[in-house]
Amino acid sequence: MTIREMRRGLGDTQSEFAERYNIPFRTIQNWETGLRKPPEYIVELLENRYRTDIVNRRTAKLPEYDSQKVNLPKRSNYIGAVSWLQAVSECIGEPFVFALDEALMCQGNFGGRSNEFVVWGYGSDNLSRFNGIALLGNHVSSYCVQEKNGLKFTDFNRTIADALANEFILDMQGTIEALSRYYYRNGDSFDGLSVAPEYQQDFEKLAEAAVDYYGS
């Protein structure tokens, strides 16, 4: 496995990957561009760390219902996504940053679905005691976090980045709707969005679907 493959698997930028493993940013750049080759023992060490961190960074499969776990409030019992997420936050009872579709709901960019079960976010491993919680990681930079209505959630750029990093497992409908709203509110433009180069091709496909969503 290459350094780039590990970084992309974690959904990290080069700077985030460098900080995660305490490696100089320039070294990561040199390894990925082929300017320098990492020692084999370094690659082996990073692969071992990666296999542990990938479980913590994103969910390999959607959570299934477990009768032994605590149930979160049902989406269908609440009018409006925000009131439901506030109830979820209160039930969790510890710091939690909503991500992906739930972040889009907090932002007002997606209304959600009446049968929502999975709740994406960043928080402690203790949250595995709840049915439906899918952790992307334990921490996310405060620079990527917004707060509104008593809820903390990833900002739009981070939400899109997380969606692209986890596209293989997601229903992208919420992301497409949110991008479509952004496009038309922003004067038919995606200016202002920051997409890592390795996700640019995937983003362009997603952007095309977003433009067609309200335009069709």
Side-chain angles (χ1 to χ4, degrees), residues 21-33:
Y21 297 120
N22 196 29
I23 299 171
F25 172 73
R26 184 63 66 184
T27 299
I28 299 297
Q29 281 190 320
N30 290 342
W31 286 347
E32 289 198 6
T33 59

Side-chain angles (χ1 to χ4, degrees), residues 39 53 68 71 81 95-96 138 170 174 185 187 197 199:
D53 290 350
Q68 301 301 311
N71 291 327
F96 187 73
N138 295 137
L170 294 178
R185 289 173 180 172
Y199 296 126

Side-chain angles (χ1 to χ4, degrees), residues 197-215:
E198 60 266 31
Y199 296 126
Q200 188 61 48
Q201 188 173 1
D202 293 335
F203 175 75
E204 289 174 1
K205 294 178 182 177
L206 203 62
E208 184 177 351
V211 171
D212 291 341
Y213 183 76
Y214 282 120

Side-chain angles (χ1 to χ4, degrees), residues 2 8 22 39 65 84 90 108 112 114-115 119 130 141 151 161 165 170 187 206:
T2 67
R8 289 195 64 177
N22 196 29
Y65 181 80
W84 170 58
E90 184 176 346
S114 61
N115 62 342
V119 175
F130 291 102
S141 171
L151 304 171
L170 294 178
L206 203 62

Side-chain angles (χ1 to χ4, degrees), residues 93-112:
E94 62 178 84
F96 187 73
V97 177
F98 290 102
L100 296 174
D101 279 1
E102 282 64 46
L104 296 176
M105 294 178 204
C106 291
Q107 297 160 14
N109 289 318
F110 180 51

